[in-house]
Amino acid sequence: MFQIRLIKHQDATGQDIKEIVDLKSKQWDFSLDKQLQWIKDNIKNSDFHMLLLLDNKSVAYLNLIDIDLVVNDISKKGLGIGNVCAIEKGKGYGFELMKEANKTISDLNQIGLLFCKEPLLKYYSSLNWKELKRNEYRIKCENSKVMVFNINMSEKLIVDYDGILF
């Protein structure tokens, strides 16, 4: 049975960060120092770490970044999804974790935003994320696709975001 740990960054312990870095290291081959520096430089106290646990062991991770968006000239709060990774591919851990992230975004009545490479579009689409066309956003992210969640796609849409890419 899966469990979720949602940790506000300001409440994360050294042990929590070590667990996160260990899990991320399974996906990305960066040194411990580089991983820690990335967290220090990019994660704000208001951001969240989300861990999926199986039998009390962390098997997947993502972060939820507290962001400000402008949608059709109206300021909105959002959560950016970043660093989605799992200890093992093909086990469905990332999918379960993303379902929980979607639930969190919906429960908080916020807009989800993520950046991904083309091969991941189908995966995120299967989780009800919608790809924005190039004329639907003003974001500097040349090498990534832009996807949103929990937003009305039936109207003309222009999404502005000028923060970090997560």
Side-chain angles (χ1 to χ4, degrees):
M1 186 72 181
F2 292 116
Q3 295 175 303
I4 291 292
R5 278 188 67 210
L6 187 63
I7 308 164
K8 196 165 194 175
H9 184 64
Q10 69 187 19
D11 300 327
T13 66
Q15 182 59 38
D16 293 331
I17 299 300
K18 181 187 180 317
E19 187 175 339
I20 289 162
V21 168
D22 285 347
L23 209 151
K24 286 178 63 185
S25 294
K26 303 285 191 249
Q27 177 102 21
W28 297 287
D29 189 24
F30 294 107
S31 69
L32 172 65
D33 289 341
K34 283 190 180 199
Q35 293 260 16
L36 292 172
Q37 190 63 48
W38 188 92
I39 289 171
K40 182 179 177 189
D41 292 346
N42 293 286
I43 303 295
K44 304 178 303 288
N45 281 339
S46 58
D47 297 339
F48 289 90
H49 303 280
M50 183 179 275
L51 291 155
L52 180 76
L53 297 119
L54 178 63
D55 299 327
N56 292 317
K57 181 180 184 228
S58 295
V59 295
Y61 169 78
L62 61 75
N63 47 42
L64 295 164
I65 306 298
D66 179 27
I67 59 173
D68 296 307
L69 302 164
V70 176
V71 179
N72 295 341
D73 297 321
I74 298 169
S75 293
K76 304 272 187 176
K77 288 303 290 177
L79 288 169
I81 300 280
N83 292 288
V84 180
C85 60
I87 200 161
E88 254 183 287
K89 290 190 180 274
K91 300 278 186 178
Y93 300 147
F95 193 83
E96 289 299 320
L97 186 62
M98 280 299 299
K99 287 189 335 191
E100 288 296 324
N102 286 356
K103 183 178 181 321
T104 299
I105 292 166
S106 295
D107 289 351
L108 293 172
N109 195 31
Q110 294 198 8
I111 296 168
L113 179 70
L114 68 77
F115 307 101
C116 70
K117 302 292 182 200
E118 178 121 16
L120 292 172
L121 288 173
K122 185 176 178 183
Y123 170 76
Y124 288 115
S125 293
S126 74
L127 288 153
N128 298 315
W129 285 74
K130 307 295 182 207
E131 180 185 5
L132 293 180
K133 296 177 183 74
R134 185 68 198 108
N135 65 340
E136 294 177 318
Y137 64 87
R138 291 189 288 252
I139 301 170
K140 292 184 177 101
C141 59
E142 294 78 29
N143 297 321
S144 296
K145 299 294 185 177
V146 177
M147 300 189 85
V148 292
F149 177 79
N150 201 34
I151 191 168
N152 182 357
M153 297 291 289
S154 64
E155 61 186 55
K156 184 178 184 321
L157 198 61
I158 300 290
V159 176
D160 288 289
Y161 170 73
D162 65 0
I164 66 163
L165 301 184
F166 27 84

